[in-house]
Amino acid sequence: MTVASPSGRQDRNDRPVRSFASYTPRWQRFQTQAGSTAGKNPTGKENAPTGGSNKSSSSSSTVRSSEQKVVPYQRQYSHVYAHRLAALKDRCWRALNRLPEGGSGGVKSVDRIIELKEDQLSAVVGTIVVESASGADGEEHVYYNDNDGDDEDRRLHPDAICRSGDQLFLEDESGRVAIRFVDDHRSPTNAKPRKSRTRHGYQYCTGVVVGVRGTVDDRGMMHVRDVADPALDPPERVGPGSGGSPRLLLVSSLLCGDPGVSSMPRDLLVSYLQGHLCDPDAETVARVVLAGSGPGAADPAAGLRELDLWGLQVTRTAGVPLDILPSATDPTTRNWPQRPLHSSLLPHTLRVDHGKGADPMARTTPNPYEASIGNRLVLGTDGLNVRDLQKHVLSPPVGNTGGGNGTVDPPEAEPARGPEPLTELEALERTLRWGHVCPSAPSSAAIGMVPSGDPMAMGRKSKTPSLYFCGNCEEGFATKLMKHDEDGGGEATTRLVCVPKFSETGEAVLVDLNTLEVELLRFKADT
């Protein structure tokens, strides 16, 4: 749908009532701040209170106490991986138990990697660790090369860091074992070959929790024939939201204040929400989510002023609630989960009407974002998790179609291609199937020290979202309806959405919260 400049305005008395959707923030787990050390300083003693009625405390002492309470730099990241494994282990076992039995001797379930035995078909759950042969001690870890007959350690794609000599390990709290993916006919304990999708080491990155099934040889290498991703519970089926047919508008990368970005598409978006463009769908927008990069990075101060004005127009003149996610270029913490933008940066947008008892029209949220909107669980990010995963994971090459169906002669067949980078939509789907918002963290993507564990793991207490989005997508708009067929999921689905850069395309995404149908809006000025 293309929305051009309006030729006329709709009378205010003729405007229909806006749709309403219930709203409950669910991002509290992304705002965990050193809960286990909240009342102690690095020496173990209790800290004096820094808030409340103690207004005589100096700002410097408040900063020091805040640093002691929130940033425990003395901790390492091992507890993050331990918590991630504990959160996803049960789900991996559920997926492993659904696999058909293999071999005449059956499969032995092993709780810890150290308990694996040679020549015994076993199933175990652990965290994948990728070690490169280019490292200082990498040579002693490389048992086999994933490319038969090619001993050269080379980069598999210029846009990724994957190498042909990378070695994968499966690790838990007891130890690790080197793994190699094999076809069924190459498995020493499998008597009957069956159809199987060949896997490669470059399809995984450090930090992914999976269940595997295979056999350990006399050299300590585990020949893996089956891999099970964590089983996700299907999203809960919900009824229609209250107040008509509510829709959620997703937009990202406004880049307000950037001298190279026109403000006309943003003004048209506001006019659309105000009902000035005579589009009946505008009244169904129950909430707007800005998925990162609201202010431009060229002049942050000017960008924040323009974003504040834009947010004021959306919330006050159009009457649409607004959620604002931060991103890597915004003035907030760089490590994930990112903290919300401070209220002083957007004073007009975040102005609270005291005494009315109503929910605020605008909120600054952490990144990642999670909320129940219209009884649908919505999860999303600014896109950093997707872009980082694309550097570490590749997609296997498409099979050579030449000469296979008789339509193309063998001499004219295309040469075999190497692995290709994941698309943004494929990377977004991988994060959901692996049960983690940013699986490449903390080995690649920077995350903050969270002593309580890994808040981005979709573990026992986390529910599968009905809508999962990422913003600032370089490849433009893309969407997919991912079905959940396991464990009687029936027709339950998750809508995946890649939100394009509004500053470059003028495009926003409209999602129906009842049906999960998606519509692309494009705002441009007539010339």
Side-chain angles (χ1 to χ4, degrees):
M1 174 182 178
T2 300
V3 182
S5 301
S7 57
R9 292 180 178 270
Q10 188 175 2
D11 186 81
R12 176 173 296 182
N13 296 327
D14 296 334
R15 297 177 192 171
V17 179
R18 182 170 301 281
S19 296
F20 167 78
S22 59
Y23 178 81
T24 305
R26 302 291 185 188
W27 58 68
Q28 290 81 0
R29 64 190 176 109
F30 299 130
Q31 289 185 304
T32 305
Q33 296 182 358
S36 62
T37 60
K40 297 182 179 181
N41 58 26
T43 63
K45 298 181 180 180
E46 296 291 330
N47 287 328
T50 58
S53 60
N54 186 13
K55 297 182 180 180
S56 61
S57 300
S58 65
S59 60
S60 60
S61 62
T62 301
V63 171
R64 287 196 297 269
S65 298
S66 176
E67 289 176 351
Q68 293 171 357
K69 192 168 69 172
V70 177
V71 191
Y73 286 109
Q74 68 272 21
R75 302 200 59 161
Q76 299 296 320
Y77 284 102
S78 59
H79 72 287
V80 175
Y81 290 116
H83 182 276
R84 185 180 306 179
L85 178 59
L88 300 176
K89 193 170 187 177
D90 292 343
R91 296 194 175 196
C92 288
W93 278 116
R94 281 171 46 195
L96 281 171
N97 293 334
R98 287 199 298 262
L99 296 176
E101 295 292 331
S104 58
V107 182
K108 180 182 179 180
S109 297
V110 178
D111 187 58
R112 300 191 304 165
I113 289 177
I114 199 172
E115 298 173 0
L116 288 170
K117 296 182 179 180
E118 295 181 8
D119 300 325
Q120 169 67 52
L121 185 59
S122 305
V124 68
V125 176
T127 305
I128 286 182
V129 177
V130 181
E131 289 194 358
S132 176
S134 60
D137 61 346
E139 292 297 335
E140 63 183 77
H141 299 307
V142 180
Y143 293 84
Y144 301 96
N145 196 308
D146 203 24
N147 301 316
D148 295 336
D150 184 7
D151 295 330
E152 180 186 2
D153 178 29
R154 54 185 176 83
R155 198 167 184 173
L156 296 176
H157 195 276
D159 296 333
I161 65 173
C162 304
R163 305 187 68 86
S164 59
D166 289 348
Q167 175 60 54
L168 268 61
F169 294 85
L170 195 70
E171 184 175 278
D172 65 7
E173 66 278 1
S174 68
R176 60 163 55 178
V177 61
I179 62 175
R180 186 194 187 201
F181 300 116
V182 297
D183 293 331
D184 285 341
H185 69 275
R186 298 171 64 180
S187 179
T189 60
N190 194 22
K192 295 182 179 181
R194 58 183 175 85
K195 290 185 178 181
S196 168
R197 183 178 61 180
T198 303
R199 296 179 184 264
H200 306 275
Y202 53 73
Q203 293 178 265
Y204 296 90
C205 67
T206 297
V208 176
V209 177
V210 295
V212 301
R213 193 164 68 177
T215 306
V216 179
D217 61 17
D218 57 357
R219 300 180 62 185
M221 171 71 71
M222 187 174 188
H223 298 258
V224 175
R225 42 179 281 191
D226 294 305
V227 181
D229 298 330
L232 293 177
D233 297 325
E236 296 179 0
R237 301 293 298 173
V238 297
S242 57
S245 180
R247 297 189 181 187
L248 180 67
L249 191 143
L250 303 174
V251 63
S252 70
S253 189
L254 296 180
L255 297 186
C256 297
D258 195 310
V261 177
S262 173
S263 62
M264 180 62 72
R266 296 198 303 270
D267 296 337
L268 288 175
L269 175 56
V270 172
S271 297
Y272 168 80
L273 295 174
Q274 292 172 338
H276 294 164
L277 303 187
C278 302
D279 189 334
D281 289 339
E283 71 197 54
T284 65
V285 179
R287 182 168 292 270
V288 175
V289 176
L290 175 55
S293 298
D299 188 350
L304 288 169
R305 286 194 297 268
E306 286 198 21
L307 177 62
D308 193 19
L309 177 60
W310 181 85
L312 180 66
Q313 293 175 322
V314 170
T315 57
R316 304 294 173 173
T317 64
V320 183
L322 173 65
D323 291 338
I324 302 176
L325 280 72
S327 62
T329 58
D330 293 343
T332 182
T333 55
R334 187 172 182 84
N335 292 345
W336 269 40
Q338 286 184 294
R339 297 182 187 177
L341 294 174
H342 197 274
S343 58
S344 63
L345 300 176
L346 304 171
H348 299 91
T349 299
L350 301 176
R351 185 182 61 195
V352 178
D353 295 329
H354 297 285
K356 296 185 177 181
D359 291 335
M361 289 294 291
R363 299 173 188 258
T364 54
T365 76
N367 178 32
Y369 166 93
E370 189 174 38
S372 293
I373 307 177
N375 295 325
R376 293 282 192 181
L377 183 61
V378 179
L379 177 66
T381 72
D382 73 325
L384 181 143
N385 56 331
V386 167
R387 293 187 293 273
D388 191 75
L389 190 64
Q390 287 179 301
K391 298 185 298 183
H392 296 270
V393 178
L394 296 174
S395 179
V398 179
N400 191 347
T401 58
N405 53 12
T407 59
V408 180
D409 295 330
E412 300 178 4
E414 295 182 2
R417 293 182 295 179
E420 295 292 334
L422 298 176
T423 65
E424 290 170 329
L425 184 62
E426 290 173 339
L428 184 65
E429 182 179 1
R430 290 286 183 93
T431 63
L432 182 59
R433 293 195 181 278
W434 287 338
H436 198 276
V437 177
C438 189
S440 59
S443 64
S444 177
I447 67 172
M449 300 299 295
V450 183
S452 60
D454 188 357
M456 290 181 286
M458 303 176 192
R460 305 183 187 95
K461 298 181 180 180
S462 302
K463 297 181 180 179
T464 304
S466 296
L467 172 62
Y468 186 30
F469 67 87
C470 65
N472 300 301
C473 292
E474 299 279 355
E475 300 168 9
F477 168 73
T479 185
K480 176 180 181 179
L481 202 59
M482 195 179 86
K483 295 183 178 181
H484 300 266
D485 298 327
E486 297 87 355
D487 295 340
E491 298 180 354
T493 55
T494 295
R495 169 64 70 176
L496 307 177
V497 178
C498 292
V499 185
K501 290 186 173 183
F502 188 85
S503 57
E504 297 179 0
T505 64
E507 295 176 347
V509 182
L510 204 59
V511 182
D512 191 310
L513 293 174
N514 290 340
T515 64
L516 295 181
E517 294 181 355
V518 175
E519 181 181 359
L520 183 65
L521 304 178
R522 183 177 293 109
F523 298 89
K524 64 179 182 179
D526 288 337
T527 56

